[in-house]
Amino acid sequence: EFELAFQERRRELEISVQREAERKAAAHFASQLESLRVLAADSRKAEEEARRALLKAREETRLKALEEFAAEKRALADELAEKTTKLRDFQVQELALRTRTRQLEEREATMQLEFQRTLDSERRQIGDQVAQREAERFALIEAEYKKKIEDAQQANEALRRKLEQGSQQLQGEVLELEVEHQLAVAFSHDLIEEVKKGQRGADVIQVVRLPTAQPCGRIIWEAKRAENWSDKWLAKLKEDQREAKADIAVLVTTALPTGMTEPFGMIGDVWIVSPHLMRPLAQTLRAALIEIHKLRLANTHRTEKAEQLFTYISSPGFAQQIRSMLDSVTCMTTDLAAEKRALQRIWSKRETQIDSVSSTISSIVGQINAIAHAETSALENIEALTLPGASTAAGAPEETPSEMPNTETAG
């Protein structure tokens, strides 16, 4: 009973303590609520004051802006009025200036018209005077020209008759000039010499030269423009060739010898060619002279070069160079043998290692098959697999020393 009474008393005390705490909490909450009400009232009052101050400031700003806008508007209106006044003044001045310009243009046009009329009148008077003087002078000139035309016609008739008779000398000179021109244009490195009129010799001498200006030979050219062939041309050209010390003689002619059916050919030592094939023949003969000159240069001092070569081969310096090369070959052969032996030792070591690993793998596979044969059917043919390099280790033909790269020799 005492325990029950104690428990009951304890519960009552706990209830009273709880109620006291609730009362204190309610009083504290009421106090805080009252403080919040006071703060809310103060906040609303401050907000109202701020709103009134904001409205006042807005109103003052608006009034100030209106005043500034009105002042700016008045200033702009004054400026516009001033500019309008100046514009009117400028328009009046422009109108006056345009009027003055138009008057000046009309006056200038009137003066030009009067000047042109005066000038035309004077020009007509001068033209009449000049025309009269020119008519008189032209009549004299016409008579003079008529006399000159009659004389020219007479001279022309005489010249025509002379030209009809033909001048073999003039025709030959024309062909000679054509030959010289073609040679000069086609072969800019060669020296083309014209034999002056009255001098003994052929018409043109061509000195064939290399681009280095080294002479290779001489070709003489004779031009003949005639209706019939003459055998005297060959004898004269051969004599000119001997005097000029030329290698080749060429006769360019429009009249070919009897029995010569081709447009070019050779009679004795003289080449005979038609004018239209002169340039190809010149190129051929020039190439032949250049090749002959090269052969002459190659055959020059051949005996001396052979003696120099024999002296060089017999010299101690040549023997020392050969001995040095033989020593180098011997050293390279020794190095190659040493490298071969080293590689054979490395191959034997690798072969032993591969055999050991292969035996270990076969043993492991055999043990696995013995333990679980049904589940390791994929390992039945593992012995047939070849490891990298196993073919060489199993007795594959090894590379010969000649097939192996010698790194030292290459270096």
Side-chain angles (χ1 to χ4, degrees):
E1 291 177 357
F2 178 77
E3 182 67 26
L4 293 173
F6 179 75
Q7 293 293 336
E8 183 68 24
R9 182 60 179 167
R10 184 176 181 179
R11 282 193 298 273
E12 290 177 358
L13 287 174
E14 289 177 356
I15 291 170
S16 62
V17 170
Q18 185 177 2
R19 288 177 179 174
E20 183 65 23
E22 289 177 356
R23 186 184 60 78
K24 290 181 179 179
H28 181 67
F29 178 73
S31 175
Q32 288 184 352
L33 184 59
E34 185 65 26
S35 299
L36 289 174
R37 287 196 186 100
V38 173
L39 288 174
D42 294 340
S43 177
R44 284 194 297 272
K45 185 177 179 181
E47 183 179 358
E48 183 66 23
E49 291 178 356
R51 188 175 64 81
R52 286 196 298 270
L54 180 59
L55 291 175
K56 184 177 180 181
R58 286 180 178 175
E59 184 66 21
E60 292 177 354
T61 303
R62 187 178 67 82
L63 293 175
K64 186 176 180 181
L66 289 174
E67 292 177 358
E68 292 178 354
F69 178 72
E72 186 176 357
K73 185 178 180 181
R74 287 192 298 271
L76 290 174
D78 295 339
E79 185 178 357
L80 180 60
E82 183 180 356
K83 289 184 177 180
T84 303
T85 304
K86 290 182 179 180
L87 181 60
R88 291 198 192 96
D89 296 339
F90 287 152
Q91 290 176 351
V92 173
Q93 293 177 4
E94 183 181 2
L95 181 60
L97 183 59
R98 288 180 180 275
T99 304
R100 179 63 176 170
T101 304
R102 187 171 60 254
Q103 292 175 356
L104 290 174
E105 291 176 353
E106 292 176 354
R107 184 177 177 182
E108 183 180 1
T110 303
M111 291 177 64
Q112 288 182 357
L113 181 59
E114 293 177 356
F115 176 75
Q116 192 67 34
R117 288 174 180 173
T118 305
L119 183 62
D120 292 341
S121 176
E122 294 179 356
R123 185 179 296 171
R124 280 194 299 270
Q125 293 178 2
I126 295 173
D128 295 338
Q129 296 175 2
V130 171
Q132 185 178 359
R133 287 197 299 268
E134 289 295 326
E136 296 174 355
R137 188 172 65 86
F138 181 75
L140 297 176
I141 293 174
E142 185 179 6
E144 182 180 356
Y145 277 132
K146 284 182 179 180
K147 182 66 171 62
K148 288 181 179 180
I149 289 172
E150 292 176 358
D151 296 342
Q153 287 177 350
Q154 294 176 0
N156 189 21
E157 184 65 23
L159 182 61
R160 186 180 63 79
R161 289 193 300 269
K162 189 174 181 179
L163 288 176
E164 287 178 355
Q165 295 174 0
S167 174
Q168 295 183 355
Q169 182 179 0
L170 180 61
Q171 294 176 358
E173 291 178 358
V174 171
L175 183 58
E176 176 185 344
L177 293 175
E178 179 64 19
V179 170
E180 181 182 355
H181 174 71
Q182 290 193 19
L183 292 176
V185 172
F187 312 111
S188 58
H189 298 298
D190 296 350
L191 178 62
I192 309 300
E193 299 178 351
E194 178 189 4
V195 179
K196 302 298 183 181
K197 297 301 177 184
Q199 294 183 2
R200 185 179 179 83
D203 294 333
V204 179
I205 299 177
Q206 177 185 2
V207 180
V208 179
R209 299 191 300 185
L210 296 174
T212 57
Q214 185 178 5
C216 300
R218 297 166 68 90
I219 304 174
I220 62 170
W221 297 82
E222 181 74 20
K224 295 295 183 180
R225 186 176 181 182
E227 295 292 336
N228 299 315
W229 168 264
S230 176
D231 293 332
K232 297 180 180 180
W233 297 343
L234 296 178
K236 178 182 178 301
L237 188 56
K238 290 181 180 180
E239 185 178 353
D240 295 339
Q241 180 182 4
R242 287 192 298 271
E243 292 181 359
K245 297 179 181 180
D247 300 287
I248 300 173
V250 183
L251 177 60
V252 182
T253 176
T254 57
L256 297 177
T258 305
M260 187 173 179
T261 58
E262 299 295 334
F264 73 96
M266 193 173 186
I267 298 179
D269 296 333
V270 178
W271 284 93
I272 300 172
V273 63
S274 297
H276 66 281
L277 292 179
M278 183 208 73
R279 185 168 178 176
L281 180 62
Q283 293 175 343
T284 305
L285 297 178
R286 184 177 182 276
L289 285 179
I290 292 175
E291 291 298 326
I292 293 172
H293 177 71
K294 290 181 180 179
L295 290 175
R296 289 174 181 172
L297 292 179
N299 293 328
T300 303
H301 307 301
R302 177 179 293 181
T303 305
E304 296 179 0
K305 292 180 181 178
E307 292 178 357
Q308 292 177 0
L309 180 61
F310 178 76
T311 303
Y312 171 70
I313 294 175
S314 304
S315 64
F318 179 76
Q320 291 177 0
Q321 291 178 355
I322 297 297
R323 192 177 298 110
S324 176
M325 288 189 290
L326 291 175
D327 293 340
S328 299
V329 171
T330 303
C331 292
M332 288 189 290
T333 305
T334 304
D335 294 340
L336 180 62
E339 289 177 2
K340 181 180 178 182
R341 290 192 296 271
L343 288 175
Q344 287 178 349
R345 288 196 299 269
I346 294 172
W347 291 344
S348 299
K349 183 178 178 180
R350 292 287 183 272
E351 183 178 359
T352 303
Q353 293 174 353
I354 291 171
D355 291 340
S356 176
V357 173
S358 299
S359 300
T360 304
I361 292 174
S362 299
S363 177
I364 293 173
V365 170
Q367 293 177 6
I368 293 173
N369 288 333
I371 296 172
H373 185 272
E375 288 80 5
T376 59
S377 58
L379 298 177
E380 292 180 355
N381 298 325
I382 195 169
E383 294 181 356
L385 300 176
T386 57
L387 296 175
S391 60
T392 305
E398 58 185 34
E399 295 179 325
T400 61
S402 60
E403 296 175 350
M404 294 185 299
N406 190 347
T407 55
E408 183 177 355
T409 304

